[in-house]
Amino acid sequence: MARFGSAGVGNGQFKEAGPETVAFGVDPTDNSVYVGDKPSAHVARIQKLSSSGTFLGAATLEVKGEETAIEGVAIDPSLHRFYVLVVQTRGSENPVDPELTAAASLYAFSTEVTEKEGKKVLAPAVGETGVLAGTTALHPQSTTAGTSLLEPSGLTVDPTTHDIILMGRQDQGEEVLATALERISSAGAVGARWVDKAAFFEEETPSSPVVTSEGKVYVIGGALIGGGEFGVEQIDEIPKSFSSSEGPKALIKYDAGANELVTFPGLPEPLEGGGLSLAPDGTLWVYSKILTVGETENFKNPGALSFTPAGAVRGWTGGQSLKLGTGKCTISFFGHPMVAAGSGEQLFMFDSNPESPHVVRFGPGGEGCPVGKASP
């Protein structure tokens, strides 16, 4: 287990300006870590670090005007690229969905580090700025209902097609927002959009899409959605043919039972698609709340819960509180924790607490984490 990173603007440091700059991902080919932050008022940065925290390089992009945030990181190891979504806030004068956020520009950068003016950089993968699909393609300020992809909640890469999949919501009219996922090709062409027309997710907002090696698309569902019962959390499968009228179906219906020891998603709720991650072996990791030995029943600490590819519970990690021990497995409540799975049973979590942002790496042979115990 390792912890690395601190507050600041230097290499290997993070300046988190609230949830609008939280972005986190891992390249499973080498377990390199990608962390987003905002070192200055109009500049967003994505740093690439080794699995032990060594600074390797960085990409920067301008965030100004109506652009307010970066949204997640999605990595395509085969194309040696990573993608970052910039979002805009729609103006209060817009007659449709005023003051909601919308997908604005999708950027593509190389994962390979180069030298430029004495600095280690991650260069744009397309053009001079890296914009793969800009505002003319995504229409973030459209005044036509159903055009913009609103309230983005994660992005991922489909390894079978190399499409980037953006998740958010679509205006269905009459102030109804439905869950939606949209494909963007690796060349920047906007593809099919799947919309939850049957209201499978009702009024809830699922998030954090991932795609398996077979092209199956999974998202975090939640209690009381998709026909679920209270206390049952779900991971749901979206039809991989986005043009299909088929509805989602549940892969996992997790019931923590009468005495909730581990539940998901955790609190604070995950942002920018950081609530669910898929390891190369098919293990699903989800950001969770964990009741640690010695805590009261109503107080749970952030951690991660894992499931097998078939949906069976595999185990959990993290969940330590400061008062119980070494602090090695402690994730703060003062941020929006995110999970990213690597290879070799390595799991990474980003603690975006602005006072002390850092990355925690969990894996075989680690120490300092609480272990499960049976009560009488």
Side-chain angles (χ1 to χ4, degrees):
M1 200 202 81
R3 294 167 65 96
F4 51 86
S6 61
V9 298
N11 294 338
Q13 295 182 313
F14 317 123
K15 185 177 180 181
E16 298 301 331
E20 67 269 16
T21 56
V22 176
F24 186 55
V26 168
D27 184 342
T29 59
D30 59 3
N31 283 345
S32 55
V33 180
Y34 293 75
V35 183
D37 71 345
K38 197 173 182 180
S40 61
H42 301 297
V43 175
R45 173 178 63 172
I46 304 294
Q47 295 186 75
K48 178 180 181 179
L49 310 171
S50 73
S51 60
S52 58
T54 301
F55 173 80
L56 301 176
T60 58
L61 57 151
E62 287 188 308
V63 181
K64 59 184 181 179
E66 295 166 331
E67 297 176 343
T68 57
I70 55 175
E71 167 80 30
V73 173
I75 301 160
D76 189 333
S78 297
L79 296 184
H80 304 287
R81 285 182 174 185
F82 70 92
Y83 301 97
V84 182
L85 180 66
V86 170
V87 304
Q88 290 184 0
T89 299
R90 293 164 63 83
S92 58
E93 72 282 356
N94 196 317
V96 179
D97 306 310
E99 300 182 354
L100 295 183
T101 58
S105 297
L106 181 65
Y107 285 75
F109 293 94
S110 172
T111 59
E112 298 178 344
V113 179
T114 58
E115 294 278 346
K116 183 178 181 181
E117 299 177 354
K119 297 181 179 180
K120 296 180 179 180
V121 302
L122 303 170
V126 293
E128 295 183 358
T129 62
V131 175
L132 182 70
T135 55
T136 56
L138 300 180
H139 307 290
Q141 299 295 335
S142 174
T143 57
T144 302
T147 301
S148 304
L149 187 67
L150 304 171
E151 299 183 339
S153 54
L155 69 159
T156 188
V157 171
D158 184 341
T160 66
T161 63
H162 299 287
D163 288 346
I164 305 93
I165 295 177
L166 310 180
M167 186 170 188
R169 309 181 82 184
Q170 176 176 298
D171 189 326
Q172 298 292 86
E174 298 181 355
E175 299 183 352
V176 175
L177 298 180
T179 297
L181 292 92
E182 185 167 74
R183 291 181 180 270
I184 309 292
S185 77
S186 58
V190 177
R193 177 184 292 186
W194 177 87
V195 180
D196 182 21
K197 295 180 180 179
F200 177 90
F201 294 110
E202 298 180 5
E203 296 181 359
E204 301 294 334
T205 306
S207 71
S208 309
V210 298
V211 187
T212 70
S213 57
E214 295 82 26
K216 294 181 178 180
V217 182
Y218 296 133
V219 302
I220 291 181
L224 293 178
I225 66 175
E229 298 177 359
F230 182 77
V232 176
E233 295 91 29
Q234 294 185 192
I235 294 177
D236 298 308
E237 181 180 349
I238 304 296
K240 64 181 179 180
S241 173
F242 283 11
S243 59
S244 171
S245 59
E246 180 184 358
K249 58 184 179 182
L251 169 71
I252 295 169
K253 290 186 176 182
Y254 176 73
D255 188 347
N259 299 311
E260 295 183 335
L261 302 180
V262 183
T263 61
F264 73 88
L267 289 174
E269 293 182 357
L271 297 177
E272 285 79 35
L276 176 66
S277 188
L278 179 68
D281 64 1
T283 299
L284 290 157
W285 284 96
V286 61
Y287 162 52
S288 306
K289 297 181 294 181
I290 297 170
L291 177 61
T292 307
V293 173
E295 293 287 10
T296 61
E297 184 175 347
N298 294 325
F299 193 86
K300 300 180 177 69
N301 296 290
L305 174 67
S306 66
F307 297 90
T308 68
V313 175
R314 185 171 178 267
W316 54 267
T317 192
Q320 187 178 25
S321 67
L322 287 173
K323 74 177 185 180
L324 291 178
T326 65
K328 291 183 177 181
C329 291
T330 303
I331 305 294
S332 171
F333 289 95
F334 300 104
H336 293 272
M338 307 179 79
V339 297
S343 57
E345 296 187 315
Q346 301 287 313
L347 174 73
F348 299 80
M349 291 189 71
F350 181 52
D351 186 337
S352 64
N353 176 4
E355 297 297 319
S356 179
H358 61 273
V359 177
V360 181
R361 186 187 75 210
F362 301 96
E367 60 181 5
C369 289
V371 295
K373 295 181 180 180
S375 67

